[in-house]
Amino acid sequence: METLNAEQLNFEPVVVGFTCNWCSYRAADLAGMSRAKYPANIRLVRFMCSGRLDPVFIMKALKGGADGVLITGCHPGECHYLEQNYKALKRFKLLRRMLSQFGYEPERVQLVWASAAEGTYLAHQISRVVEEIRALGPLHRASDTPSFELIGDAQLQEATV
Amino acid sequence: MKQERIGVYVCHCGSNIAGTVDVGQLSSWAADALEKRGVVVARDYKFMCSSLGQELIKSDIVELSLTRVVVAACSPHLHEKTFRTACQQAGLNPYLMEMVSLREHVAWVHSDKALATQKAKALISGAVERVALHEPLDPISVPIEATTLVVGAGISGIQAALEIADAGQKVVLVEREPSIGGHMAQLDKTFPTLDCSACILTPKMVTVGSHPNINLLTWSEVEAVDGFVGQFTVTIRKKARYVREDVCTGCGICMEKCPSKLIDQVYEAGLGYRSAIYRPFPQAIPKYPVIDKANCIYFQRGKCKACQLFCPTTPNAIDFEQEDQILQLTVGNIILATGYDLFDARRIPQYGYGRLANVFSSLEFERLCNAAGPTEGKILLRDGVSQPESVGIIHCVGSRDRNYNNYCSAICCMQSLKFAHLVKERTGAKVTNFYIDIRTPYKDYDEFYQHVLQEKVEFVRGRVAEVTDAARRPGEEGKLIIQVEDTFIGKQRRIPVDMVILSAGIEPRHDSKEVSRKFGISCNGSGFFTELHPKLDPVATMSKGIFIAGCAQGPKDIPASVVQGAAAAARVLGTIQQKSLDLEPVLAQVIDQKCSGCRICSNLCPFNAIGFDLERQISTINPALCQGCGTCVSACPSHAISGTQFSTEQILAQLHGLLAESFNGNGARTQSPAFSQAELV
Amino acid sequence: MKPSNEEPYGYYPGCSLEKNALAYNESTSAVANVLGLKFEEVADWNCCGASEYLALDILPAYALISRNLALAASSSGSHSLVAPCSACFLNLSKVDHQMAEVPALASQVNEALAAGGLSYQPGSITIRHLLDVFVNDVGFDRISSLVTHPLYELRVAPYYGCLISRPDYEGVYDSPEYPTGLDHLMTALGAEVVDFPLKTHCCGGHMTQISEPVALELIRRLLQNAHEYDADVIATLCPMCQLNLDVYQEHVNHAFGTNYHIPILYFTQLIGLALGIRAKELGFGREFVSAKRALAKIGKARPAPKKKRKPSKEALPMPQATEVEYR
């Protein structure tokens, strides 16, 4: 494993985590009940389903100050709404491709499936993701970054459908 | 835009939250820093969910004319309802309240107080931004179909079905075996009172079989479940019995005459025989036999029909032409009581099950003891003749063992004690129990243990290393030798016995994961169905209208299974009595003016809730079918679909809030790199 | 991991195979030839320290053993190292495992290796026992397809010994308590495998040198158990086991007044026989307890399926294998 430099060591990344109401949010609840520890750098936001995940949310989060985004949901085949997590998966893949086209590390956006029973597993995954994003360093938002509204829409829609 | 008046309430939850989060600082910060975002009051209190805590919120709503409330306490899955009700009582629409999970998502998972408090601020800031955009809503009311489906007719399912049927409601009871009864029908005596299992179960089975409100479908399996609470559509395969239920008298002549005899793996636990046309046991409900196609000579080789030949009824009750029937039913609630599988002791080869003749599994031993079993209740060795003079009973086989199952199977201690008593009583043999711990909680259980101790049953504490027939010392020849470390004396011991009984553990049904997927509920890591709350809601699941009972939820004994069956029934009866059920008003809605009619959304909905208005050329959403997942909302290129309670604006506002209060780079708090409110729309 | 076709297995014969277990070495190379297995002996290997040296002083012992790993890693293009001797296999895999688990140990060991201009990165070599190669790489199907002289009617007691399946660092054995790989291998050769409850029990190891009565008792148990199950031969995969059961069989008979005559053969010798290799090339004749009489038992034709003794009318059926797959 590569060693972190001083800047990276002192750097506290902010990671926004999107969860679904039925599996991963409950996994986070269970992590709490099991007292499984993970870094305080993650901020969880709840949806009903990972299918609700609009790629705009991810871009807004990154633009708004997050250094990374963690998408979570029910395991494939176990979606409370039958199959909507597959749509999240599709969007995630397209979005990652788009991120690298924009010159950002695609690893800043990560996907983890966690069932309601996998509290400790989710805690481990959150720790892993936070550390990986810490290693990537702060997300540099150049002041001349074009507004996502201007360049994003076409691609966003592509990723959306 | 009108400025909302927001109240923020931070709960200490005793020391659960206050131990890790600086709650005092948090509430004064919220009052201060979030004032310009509309926070007019922020308080912290020991227990917000207590009546005094709720009063605090209620009086603020009234006296300070609050229009929005943020409660930073535990997970919304625990107390959202509590605080919504409180708001409603004070005259505020309940959906204008937002919860922040400080306990599960902050205090219990972080250790650094400063970082945890910082995160709590970010979450509260997000909730304040979000709640400002909440809209007053009314819950959706769905009608409840009064019929209930119960899957699995072991003792738990039987109890659930009877409770509901006795209350005057209709039940469809589905069982995949030819008879109801489940594992309890196989047992001989039940601990700790030693009542005969069949004697207490049979009357219940008979009642189920003849109950006017119970539609009993044995030899049947649920194939598919569609729809949601109140209106599930269930597809059931009623397997062909090849016996006409309207004609058969259950005389049993066909079973006698059937030339195909085979080992009965299910009811007799592999210790006895049955014919290819069979009913598992004499008291079976229903009394009609079934033909096991795979072992029927006629079905396999085209010749025989002995059963038809000897059937005394007219018209003949045997019908080889019968076909599987597919039934479709509408039910309002579902109770899953699908039971357990016994741990297969062959997986621990060093215990010799399947290799050494006189090693028996617990269910085999139950059949051995049972007066209706293969030995008519005589405890005999595998040769079927000799009686054991010494018996070893090994506890925790496949349980509390990280190689197999970590959990305790709950029944094995008491079951082993019962076996010890029965062996003593019927053979006078020397009995030794090999245990790790003796677990005898619940009424009269420990008294039973004391009683067995007085019967001079021996107990050796230690996990058995192996059971072998390799004699080493004089006196071991021809015996099974149990090698064990006696942890009380710290010595290895070799104890020769004639018979070994393995108290095998309880496992989830081999297809429990498949079943859970079919019904849209979840399983824990071991494969037991997950309840909504481990203590406070042990029979409900995350899917409304689907309840669980008995060993499908986790290992438990007969009294506990009965309790759960009855509890699930009570929950179901409650909703039936209400006739309708309030659901979260989480729905997608098309904004007609914005819809361009591209129909991208319509393919995304797995519930077919999205239709198309040909006249107006726009999409429409059927609120009765929409489940509120929000996939169409995020997919609409024109932002023409909005999701109540999870609108794009609400989520972006939440993101804005929580990022505005996040540290950034070197732990320093950024003022606001976040997007401006103007960008939100 | 199975090496690709071009990649040979690294081979660490160990001291025994040069002397008392010559038959093991001969039969292994004869069988490898037929099966097309390429074994490349590590040049300049040294003793693994057997089971004693580790007990004396850990660091020199680890350095001694790791030298072989370092040589194997640097010399050949192979990423695996096969040891036919169970003690060698255990020592090599233990050192590899502990170096990975305890970085401080790894750096000390590497310091010692540096004196000889060597170094070893734990995990860079997969250490395997010869049986594992036959069971998991060659496979039962391939072996049984090459059998020309099946071992019909030969009753074989499969004896694993105590060293290879516990601890099972790589998770190779189906059950560390009751492995069945060798059982299936022998069945694939046409032999009749007997249930051998003591299959993973200790042969006494070097106890013969320390306390003969203890060793003889351990050996007696194994012979007695094999005899009770009517075994014609015991198939071993460890030179130590072979030595103890074979050489000391006469001592056991003398000490306990028994009359055991059970040849102790390497499993590779039995594979060789079934593949039609001449007995001489397989090292037969080197054993103390002659295998001649037992091998003469091998039948020409597949025995008719044994008529199951009709169980008495009262007898209860034995547990049957269920169709439910284990999770």
Side-chain angles (χ1 to χ4, degrees), chain B residues 263 265 270-273 344 346-347 349-350 353-357 359-360 364 368 374-375 380-385 465-466 468-472 507-510, chain C residues 174-180 195-201 217-218 220-221 224-225 228-229 311-327:
Chain B
I263 295 171
Q265 294 296 351
L271 209 58
Y273 298 86
D344 185 347
R346 262 172 296 241
R347 287 165 65 189
Q350 63 269 31
Y353 184 65
R355 288 195 296 117
L356 305 171
V359 179
F360 290 82
E364 276 187 312
L368 215 50
T375 57
L380 299 174
L381 295 177
R382 195 75 70 172
D383 63 9
V385 182
E466 67 173 348
T468 179
D469 61 349
R472 200 182 275 179
E507 284 200 328
R509 285 281 186 202
H510 60 276
Chain C
D174 39 0
S175 161
E177 299 277 0
Y178 217 81
T180 50
D195 188 17
F196 188 41
L198 302 187
K199 54 166 77 165
T200 59
H201 281 229
E217 166 61 17
L218 291 171
R220 180 193 68 84
R221 286 177 195 167
Q224 183 193 331
N225 194 225
E228 276 167 4
Y229 277 85
S312 65
K313 226 177 84 198
E314 301 83 20
L316 301 163
M318 278 293 281
Q320 313 276 306
T322 51
E323 285 156 31
V324 177
E325 294 251 336
Y326 300 143
R327 278 180 301 274

Side-chain angles (χ1 to χ4, degrees), chain C residues 101-178:
Chain C
E101 291 281 297
V102 189
L105 176 75
S107 67
Q108 278 182 307
V109 167
N110 268 316
E111 211 174 294
L113 286 176
L118 290 169
S119 76
Y120 179 66
Q121 174 73 30
S124 51
I125 291 234
T126 315
I127 294 120
R128 308 186 57 184
H129 190 272
L130 187 62
L131 175 68
D132 168 22
V133 172
F134 279 98
V135 169
N136 293 312
D137 291 0
V138 182
F140 307 129
D141 291 346
R142 168 114 202 281
I143 289 179
S144 79
S145 75
L146 292 173
V147 167
T148 54
H149 294 67
L151 308 180
Y152 293 145
E153 291 183 61
L154 185 69
R155 289 176 63 84
V156 179
Y159 180 44
Y160 299 75
C162 57
L163 294 174
I164 66 161
S165 63
R166 292 170 301 198
D168 183 8
Y169 294 123
E170 299 277 336
V172 169
Y173 296 95
D174 39 0
S175 161
E177 299 277 0
Y178 217 81

Side-chain angles (χ1 to χ4, degrees), chain C residues 62 116 194 280 302:
Chain C
Y62 273 48
V194 303
K280 211 168 162 203
R302 186 184 293 277

